Amino acid sequence: MPDTVTVATVELSDVPMEVMQAEEVLMAQCARTKGFEVPVSYTVPAVPQSYSDVGGVFRSREEAQSVGYASQTVTNMEDTNAEQNEYVDSLSAADRERYDREIVSEEGNSCMVQAATMLYGSYRESTAIFNTFNEVQRERSASALDDKDVQSAIMDEYVPCMKRAGYEVRGLRGGELAGKTFGRYRAWNEAPNADERAMATQDWTCQVEAKLMERINDSLERSAGTWMLANEATILERHEKLQQAKGIANQVLAGKSSFEDMASADGKQD
């Protein structure tokens, strides 16, 4: 199995938060052109992501230090959409009906459809990318956590590594220990404190020493390899579109590109 296919499959299974946040920004900017004063947030929620179908895995040192164990230490993750939800709730019945039709509908030329098209090329392509995880799960014979090599990496290498560093974890459950140790002390857009950051960094280090991501990749190839090989071209094409979307998303979140910029560019091309 080519490594490029395995990596692409894993990355498609968990679309980065910055891409999803950029889509929200583009939708809000589009809504403003239609008279809806939707709040716009350029802050990417610090939400822990999984690796393949395994939670508790940090993809990088940067993720460990910036995200930490947000699901156990953030006071209320629902606050990420609080302002927008309050705005939508304040609309009259007529405006709410128009908002649902023109902004968040999955049909026609709504803001949701336009934002997805700007990022992925088409709304259909965005749906296909987000469906990759479900497609993989349907084809897998078992979860990576049930794989003997993955379990060995966790129990025989990762857990002892964490123990040597002073962290008594029960399997791949650094978040569980973090929740008990630190409690819920920070807002969704606040960075972890020094102690949480230190633990998360050590967690990532122990995962690397246990070669956890590599073993999860091997497990994925064993359980879904036939499907991956049969769909190699589709997987790589979707992954390329996701990489392009990440580049556009970074421009949007940095304020270097906007809905109106891209809509104007598309108009000129037409």
Side-chain angles (χ1 to χ4, degrees), residues 19-29 40-41 81 84 115:
V19 179
M20 290 190 278
Q21 186 63 25
E23 188 168 2
E24 291 292 325
V25 169
L26 290 171
M27 284 178 60
Q29 291 173 340
V40 181
S41 173
N81 295 317
Q84 184 170 332

Side-chain angles (χ1 to χ4, degrees), residues 27 47 53 92 105 158:
M27 284 178 60
V47 178
D53 66 340
S92 67
S105 172
Y158 166 77

Side-chain angles (χ1 to χ4, degrees), residues 67-83:
V67 175
Y69 305 98
S71 58
Q72 278 78 31
T73 58
V74 166
T75 54
N76 190 354
M77 291 302 297
E78 294 180 0
D79 286 349
T80 57
N81 295 317
E83 280 190 273

Side-chain angles (χ1 to χ4, degrees), residues 65 123 170 184 192 209 224:
Q65 293 179 339
Y123 186 73
R170 301 188 310 139
R184 296 189 179 277
E209 290 184 9

